[in-house]
Amino acid sequence: MRFHSLESRVVVLFISLLLTLQLVAYFAIGNAIDTNARSAIESELKISTKVFSRLLDQNAQKLIQGATLLSKDYAFREAIGTHDTETIVSTLLNHGQRLGADLTMLVDLDGKITAASSDTLAHGLQQSVSSMIKTATEKGSAGNIDIVDGKPYQMVMVPVQAPVTISWVVMAIPLDQTLVSDMRELSTMQISLLTSQNRSPWKMNVSTLEQQDALQLVSTLSKNEAGAGLMRDMEIGDNRYRTNVLPLASNGNNRAVAVLQLSIDQAVAPYKKLQRNLLILTVLGCIVASVISAVTARRVIEPVRQLADTARRLGAGDYLTPIKVERKDEIGDLANSFSHMRDAIASREQEISRLAYWDTLTALPNRALFRDMLDEAITQARSRASTCYVLMMDLDRFKHVNDVMGHSFGDILLQEVANRLKVELGAGNIQPARLGGDEFAVLMPETKEDAALQIAEKILHALEHPISIEDQTVDIGASIGIAGYPAHAADAATLLSRVEVAMYAAKQAKNGAVIYSPDIDKSSQQSLSLLSEMRTALERNDFRLYVQPKVSLMTGEVVAVEALVRWLHPERNFIYPDQFIPFAEQTGFIRQLTHWMMNASAQACREWKNAGIRLKISVNISTRDLMDQELPEKFAKILALHQVQAADFCLEITESAIMDDPVRAHLTLDKLHAMGMELSIDDFGTGYSSLAYLKRLPVNELKIDKSFVLKMEQDIDDTKIVKSTIDLGHNMGLRVVAEGIENTEVMNLLKELGCDQGQGYYISRPMPASELQPWLLTRQDYQTI
């Protein structure tokens, strides 16, 4: 039968329901069997306990009869009267042996043992003998169970009368294997006798259990000792037992108990067999139902299995193998969806790889891919005892061209430079890359220093020819640094660092190409002095936290502040950020400075909250900060220290910082966003980022660079750029902030364009964080503007 609808194959569900119902019935029956069996066992255990007590009574009566017979023996009474100890002991011994008693004693009226068949046993029973006289006097006889040398003994006492009571005869027999065996023959109960002396752990005397099970019973009872008559379950060996503990004797710290047990497993065994038969019938029924449904299920399972294999191949990166499922039902629709999904995933992976490892502007490898290529080249050079050189190039006057001609012109210029590099270097192993901004690099595996210098000269010569763009001729040069493995560094990170040092040296010296030398690192005493001064300033707390307010352009309300740093130098007074931040980024000191900024901002946030002021604080983080994968953990510790929330902070990142290493930047930003911090793209519009990449970042805000805002009321092009950016941000669900507001006209224009927030000198110049609260009380109201 051919099915064309997935709904018609729900018959499989009914097979599952059948199996479920049968299993429920199976377990319900099993539970009922167990409950009923326990109830029956408990009743039987109570009866068996009475039988055991009756057996003990019968033994006592037998002893009493034997002792009474002895007490009436004329020769025995005559020996007592004449104090013939030898005859007394002989008579006690002979009579006790006939009755199977371990001990037969003669006790005077004061309770003192005057003769016994065993002095050792008699000494241990002295206290019990004394306590039995009162009962025997009242009732004519007495019985008791006592413990001697860790063994339980059953005793009886009868008077010797001539005609009045002149002595007492005591007989004692051990509670031994004979007793428990007799009890075992009378019922299916297992019985064990245990004793404890001086509150020591229980000791097994006799038992009908196997030796190993008896030892386990002792261990279990020692751990879970219960009161008399309390029934409970015990796991002994492979059996479950219902157990009752019957006290036999308690003499000070000495105790004896009888443990009576009935096997639950034996009781339910016949019913379990019936239950197993029911289970077998259920299994057979399910097998028959499964065989009948298999034909139907196969037509569903087989194509689903093929699609599952396709999904595994997709997970492994196989996007070429065709999907061979041709059907007209829902499965066929699913197969077509898989095919479309495979094509879409393949396309997206190619795009992601391109964005992560290739520069979208020049189609050259980016910094991340270049670093991987350099690692591989160094590994090969190390294995072959060869060399590898790297060339790093920075364009001269590019910033000036970009500022004058615009970013679009600058992008075309970078593309032209990339094309010239490709042409000059050819299609061999020498590979150019764009590291970011106007920085390029060239990997030269299997290359000597002289050859590397020749390639650098070749590139410089190629750039000497002017570049024509949009009827504009641009004369641009370059500064090149050169370093190699193993001459200058043993790993990729160090090599990139040193080639960058050589490039900056070439730029400062305007010398075209410079090969790295250790002396270059020591050439700038001023830079070393500045770094030392910054470290000292951090230790002496010479940095100051300043803030610049942000207002809502719709309401005029102050909603946030941007945290800024100022350096109060002991000799040069205030040093502004543009005089030391670039160097801090270059040397890596920016990480320590960012940590200080975050700590100071969190402290200020705590103080403002205590004063009833709730404002979001924006803190700038740099490229080097983004590369630090431990940055989120460091920020989390600061927030916990000052007891402030991550939601109180917005981290501002420039486009260029993100695009220098998109993969690592994305990882760091994801962690920060997961903490609850908001993220903002600072100076938006001045970088070279891809919107396709930016839209995947967990950002909340776009911040328009002040270069577009400062004179937008006079420049229609700037106004268009700002409006487009505002629309773009809102379409992406982002908040848009404009910086650089310096007059009423610009502020009103931004409000008309729908910009969310603004900051600038017109609202307030940066101020010390401590002055924010007084300023809020006296600030100008922008709501009516």
Side-chain angles (χ1 to χ4, degrees):
M1 182 178 179
R2 183 179 179 84
F3 292 94
H4 296 286
S5 173
L6 191 59
E7 287 85 350
S8 64
R9 298 164 197 169
V10 180
V11 63
V12 177
L13 176 62
F14 291 101
I15 296 175
S16 302
L17 289 175
L18 172 63
L19 180 60
T20 302
L21 290 174
Q22 292 293 337
L23 289 177
V24 169
Y26 172 80
F27 288 112
I29 292 172
N31 184 62
I33 290 173
D34 191 68
T35 301
N36 293 333
R38 286 177 183 276
S39 178
I41 287 173
E42 190 165 331
S43 298
E44 185 178 351
L45 190 58
K46 291 178 180 179
I47 295 172
S48 298
T49 302
K50 293 179 180 180
V51 171
F52 179 71
S53 298
R54 184 65 58 85
L55 185 60
L56 290 176
D57 291 341
Q58 290 177 357
N59 283 346
Q61 290 300 321
K62 179 182 177 182
L63 282 177
I64 290 173
Q65 290 174 4
T68 301
L69 184 62
L70 174 61
S71 68
K72 294 180 179 180
D73 185 275
Y74 178 79
F76 179 65
R77 286 186 293 178
E78 184 178 4
I80 294 173
T82 60
H83 302 288
D84 185 355
T85 303
E86 182 177 352
T87 301
I88 292 172
V89 172
S90 176
T91 303
L92 292 174
L93 183 61
N94 292 334
H95 203 79
Q97 287 176 348
R98 286 198 300 271
L99 293 177
D102 280 14
L103 175 65
T104 308
M105 299 181 292
L106 182 66
V107 180
D108 63 16
L109 297 178
D110 294 329
K112 181 179 179 182
I113 300 173
T114 57
S117 60
S118 172
D119 292 337
T120 302
L121 290 177
H123 178 73
L125 296 174
Q126 178 65 63
Q127 184 176 357
S128 292
V129 167
S130 299
S131 64
M132 292 170 63
I133 291 178
K134 182 179 180 181
T135 303
T137 301
E138 294 175 353
K139 297 183 178 181
S141 64
N144 194 12
I145 296 177
D146 203 349
I147 303 168
V148 179
D149 294 334
K151 295 181 179 180
Y153 283 82
Q154 187 173 19
M155 301 187 305
V156 295
M157 174 182 283
V158 297
V160 179
Q161 296 177 332
V164 296
T165 301
I166 59 174
S167 294
W168 300 93
V169 173
V170 177
M171 302 190 79
I173 62 172
L175 301 182
D176 54 13
Q177 189 66 41
T178 302
L179 175 67
V180 298
S181 297
D182 291 344
M183 186 63 196
R184 178 65 173 163
E185 291 177 359
L186 294 175
S187 70
T188 59
M189 181 175 64
Q190 301 282 3
I191 180 169
S192 304
L193 302 182
L194 291 84
T195 58
S196 172
Q197 290 185 293
N198 299 321
R199 296 194 177 277
S200 62
W202 290 110
K203 177 182 177 183
M204 178 63 68
N205 278 277
V206 292
S207 177
T208 57
L209 293 170
E210 297 291 337
Q211 183 179 4
Q212 189 67 30
D213 292 348
L215 293 176
Q216 187 176 350
L217 171 62
V218 172
S219 174
T220 304
L221 195 63
S222 297
K223 296 176 182 176
N224 303 299
E225 182 178 357
L230 178 63
M231 293 189 182
R232 61 177 180 270
D233 289 347
M234 282 189 180
E235 292 281 347
I236 304 295
D238 297 329
N239 282 301
R240 293 176 300 154
Y241 289 96
R242 189 67 171 169
T243 304
N244 189 19
V245 180
L246 180 65
L248 297 178
S250 179
N251 181 11
N253 293 330
N254 299 331
R255 293 172 296 167
V257 295
V259 181
L260 312 178
Q261 296 175 299
L262 284 174
S263 173
I264 298 174
D265 294 332
Q266 290 179 6
V268 301
Y271 304 102
K272 289 294 184 182
K273 183 177 181 181
L274 179 61
Q275 189 183 20
R276 283 194 298 271
N277 291 337
L278 176 62
L279 180 61
I280 292 172
L281 290 176
T282 300
V283 172
L284 291 175
C286 289
I287 291 174
V288 172
S290 298
V291 171
I292 294 174
S293 61
V295 176
T296 302
R298 185 175 302 168
R299 291 195 53 78
V300 176
I301 294 173
E302 191 60 33
V304 170
R305 184 180 294 114
Q306 293 179 21
L307 292 177
D309 292 339
T310 300
R312 283 190 287 270
R313 288 197 301 271
L314 288 176
D318 180 4
Y319 304 113
L320 300 177
T321 303
I323 301 175
K324 299 180 180 179
V325 177
E326 298 179 358
R327 300 178 63 127
K328 297 180 180 180
D329 57 7
E330 290 86 346
I331 296 293
D333 294 339
L334 182 60
N336 292 331
S337 298
F338 261 75
S339 180
H340 295 314
M341 180 182 69
R342 178 194 61 191
D343 297 339
I345 291 175
S347 176
R348 280 197 296 272
E349 281 206 356
Q350 291 177 355
E351 180 65 13
I352 290 171
S353 177
R354 185 180 66 83
L355 291 173
Y357 295 105
W358 293 88
D359 178 55
T360 56
L361 182 64
T362 62
L364 292 177
N366 63 8
R367 182 182 292 272
L369 180 55
F370 185 79
R371 171 66 179 271
D372 293 343
M373 294 164 55
L374 180 57
D375 281 330
E376 178 65 23
I378 290 177
T379 300
Q380 293 184 2
R382 185 181 292 114
S383 63
R384 300 173 183 174
S386 182
T387 59
C388 170
Y389 272 80
V390 174
L391 177 155
M392 187 176 289
M393 179 180 76
D394 182 83
L395 299 180
D396 298 334
R397 301 178 298 279
F398 177 76
K399 186 177 184 302
H400 176 73
V401 172
N402 215 24
D403 291 341
V404 173
M405 306 300 294
H407 297 290
S408 177
F409 189 91
D411 289 347
I412 298 174
L413 178 59
L414 291 173
Q415 290 173 340
E416 288 296 326
V417 171
N419 291 334
R420 288 199 181 184
L421 285 176
K422 294 174 185 177
V423 171
E424 293 298 326
L425 299 176
N429 292 332
I430 300 177
Q431 177 66 55
R434 182 185 174 216
L435 304 184
D438 60 336
E439 284 188 5
F440 292 83
V442 178
L443 177 62
M444 300 172 285
E446 303 291 334
T447 303
K448 303 292 185 182
E449 183 176 298
D450 293 342
L453 189 57
Q454 290 176 5
I455 292 173
E457 295 295 340
K458 185 178 180 181
I459 293 173
L460 290 172
H461 180 72
L463 294 177
E464 289 177 356
H465 301 288
I467 298 175
S468 296
I469 302 173
E470 299 177 353
D471 299 329
Q472 297 288 337
T473 300
V474 180
D475 187 7
I476 194 166
S479 300
I480 297 178
I482 303 171
Y485 166 87
H488 305 125
D491 59 82
T494 307
L495 186 57
L496 286 175
S497 175
R498 291 181 175 173
V499 74
E500 187 175 12
V501 170
M503 181 189 71
Y504 284 125
K507 199 171 190 68
Q508 292 174 0
K510 302 185 184 301
N511 197 22
V514 171
I515 297 175
Y516 172 81
S517 168
D519 295 335
I520 297 177
D521 283 339
K522 304 175 183 179
S523 62
S524 178
Q525 294 299 327
Q526 182 180 1
S527 296
L528 291 174
S529 175
L530 181 59
L531 180 58
S532 177
E533 286 182 353
M534 284 195 296
R535 288 174 176 163
T536 303
L538 195 62
E539 294 172 0
R540 297 190 312 190
N541 201 26
D542 288 341
F543 291 107
R544 298 289 183 268
L545 178 66
Y546 272 55
V547 294
Q548 187 175 30
K550 297 180 182 180
V551 300
S552 169
L553 295 179
M554 298 299 106
T555 66
E557 178 186 2
V558 177
V559 293
V561 294
E562 180 179 0
L564 304 169
V565 63
R566 298 290 186 267
W567 183 0
L568 182 58
H569 196 279
E571 298 176 359
R572 292 186 280 174
N573 203 2
F574 272 100
I575 301 178
Y576 289 91
D578 57 355
Q579 296 176 301
F580 63 89
I581 290 296
F583 181 74
E585 291 181 345
Q586 178 184 342
T587 58
F589 184 77
I590 192 66
R591 289 187 177 183
Q592 296 169 262
L593 197 55
T594 299
H595 187 276
W596 180 91
M597 281 286 293
M598 190 64 188
N599 190 70
S601 299
Q603 183 177 353
C605 180
R606 179 75 269 166
E607 293 173 357
W608 293 337
K609 281 190 173 183
N610 292 338
I613 301 172
R614 297 190 64 89
L615 297 175
K616 190 176 291 291
I617 305 178
S618 296
V619 179
N620 290 276
I621 59 176
S622 69
T623 304
R624 288 183 181 267
D625 292 322
L626 278 182
M627 299 304 105
D628 183 3
Q629 297 298 298
E630 297 180 359
L631 184 68
E633 287 78 8
K634 295 176 181 176
F635 279 2
K637 291 180 181 179
I638 293 174
L639 298 179
L641 175 65
H642 295 286
Q643 297 181 342
V644 292
Q645 303 298 318
D648 294 327
F649 290 84
C650 179
L651 303 180
E652 296 189 1
I653 313 102
T654 61
E655 291 180 82
S656 57
I658 297 172
M659 298 311 296
D660 275 352
D661 192 339
V663 176
R664 292 181 66 183
H666 203 157
L667 289 174
T668 304
L669 293 176
D670 280 341
K671 292 180 181 178
L672 292 169
H673 178 72
M675 289 173 57
M677 290 188 173
E678 289 192 353
L679 303 175
S680 173
I681 303 297
D682 194 14
D683 299 338
F684 185 76
T686 62
Y688 304 95
S689 57
S690 164
L691 290 177
Y693 178 75
L694 286 181
K695 73 178 183 181
R696 290 195 294 271
L697 294 176
V699 296
N700 307 90
E701 178 182 281
L702 289 183
K703 197 169 184 183
I704 306 173
D705 185 64
K706 63 182 179 181
S707 61
F708 302 113
V709 177
L710 285 172
K711 298 180 180 181
M712 60 179 290
E713 83 281 10
Q714 303 173 10
D715 190 330
I716 189 63
D717 291 333
D718 284 348
T719 303
K720 292 178 180 179
I721 292 173
V722 171
K723 183 180 186 308
S724 298
T725 304
I726 293 172
D727 292 341
L728 173 65
H730 287 167
N731 289 335
M732 293 174 68
L734 305 179
R735 180 175 62 248
V736 181
V737 180
E739 59 180 351
I741 301 176
E742 297 192 355
N743 54 57
T744 305
E745 291 78 13
V746 170
M747 190 165 183
N748 287 334
L749 184 55
L750 287 169
K751 182 176 180 181
E752 292 175 5
L753 295 177
C755 187
D756 299 301
Q757 297 177 13
Q759 71 180 95
Y761 285 178
Y762 177 69
I763 298 169
S764 173
R765 288 179 174 272
M767 68 184 77
S770 59
E771 297 179 7
L772 177 66
Q773 186 174 356
W775 179 86
L776 289 173
L777 298 175
T778 59
R779 70 183 182 87
Q780 178 184 356
D781 187 2
Y782 299 99
Q783 189 169 359
T784 59
I785 295 177

